[in-house]
Amino acid sequence: MKKVKVIIPTYNAGNEFREVLGMLVKQTGLAKTDILVVDSSSSDNTQAIVKDAGVSLIVIPQKEFGHGKTRKFAAEQAGDVDVVIFMTQDALAYDENTIKNIVAYFAKDEKLSAVYGRQIPYAETDIFGKHARLFNYKEQSSIKSLDDRKKYGIKTTFFSDTFGAYRKDVLEELGSFPDVQFSEDACMAGKMLMAGYKIGYCAEAKVYHSHTFSVWEEFKRYREIGRFYRQESWLLDTFGKAEGEGLKFVKSQAKYLLDNGKWYLLPELVVRNGMKYLGYKLG
């Protein structure tokens, strides 16, 4: 296996983080020294959990955290490795081969610069949260290049740092992550595609990860997405608008509700997606 560093930014990760680290230290071919937690001065027991697990820890001031710049900083601390793998504090490895599988996928194509894994919804997630994972994370693996923008539009840049691996040399070549507060993964994927590299999705590398968002939380989230695309307008200029992908999502969501006997949630679907669209436009 290539030399890797698994990096997890944390802030008040809670007791659940014990299980996250517990599964990581069991990973095939991964040593504790291959795991780095970058903590934004948590006020709970996160740092104690990290020390108990025996993995590496760097603490930064909370005010210095940024989704893009903190990941750039963390990648620079990774040392002499081939691949840096970013995970979030609430992503739980599916089995002991999760890391091995995502790293192995780089062998599929020499132009692969980044690979993201499949996200399986937690059992307690609501039906909207479950559908979001099923829609975005299919059972089939795939590889995308810049040419695919004609077919997928902005979806070509879809990538997730919830569980995403990057070739460290390509990160450095392209100046690493931009200093953005949202969607640093899509931004980095866009830069890599425009530089002639490819992005992979490995369905065999799985983590448990999902959210149950309220309608108001969806609105705020999509307002941030809108702000991001306003600031990074080159992504839409290069790959196309996001609205078409949104319509496909709504149709898929409605079918999923009906297939699962949840027809009575269709009014909520209308309100939920209306608020998402409004948030996106306002952003």
Side-chain angles (χ1 to χ4, degrees), residues 183-228:
S183 295
E184 78 293 333
D185 38 19
C187 208
M188 197 66 236
K191 287 169 66 174
M192 288 176 162
L193 290 167
M194 290 176 70
Y197 292 102
K198 297 179 181 180
I199 302 297
Y201 165 62
C202 179
E204 291 72 40
K206 297 178 282 190
V207 294
Y208 288 106
H209 181 262
S210 53
H211 295 289
T212 296
F213 288 128
S214 68
V215 173
W216 179 241
E217 286 171 332
E218 293 268 40
F219 170 81
K220 291 192 291 184
R221 178 174 171 80
Y222 274 78
R223 187 176 57 190
E224 288 301 315
I225 292 173
R227 284 174 178 162
F228 166 75

Side-chain angles (χ1 to χ4, degrees), residues 7-8 71 85-92 116-119 133 137 159-164 166 184-185 207-211 221:
I7 299 170
I8 311 174
R71 284 175 171 84
I85 303 170
F86 285 97
M87 297 180 73
T88 53
Q89 64 189 35
D90 55 348
L92 177 67
Y116 67 100
R118 186 179 178 193
Q119 296 181 30
R133 291 298 174 271
Y137 302 94
F159 198 89
S160 179
D161 277 346
T162 291
F163 180 38
Y166 299 84
E184 78 293 333
D185 38 19
V207 294
Y208 288 106
H209 181 262
S210 53
H211 295 289
R221 178 174 171 80

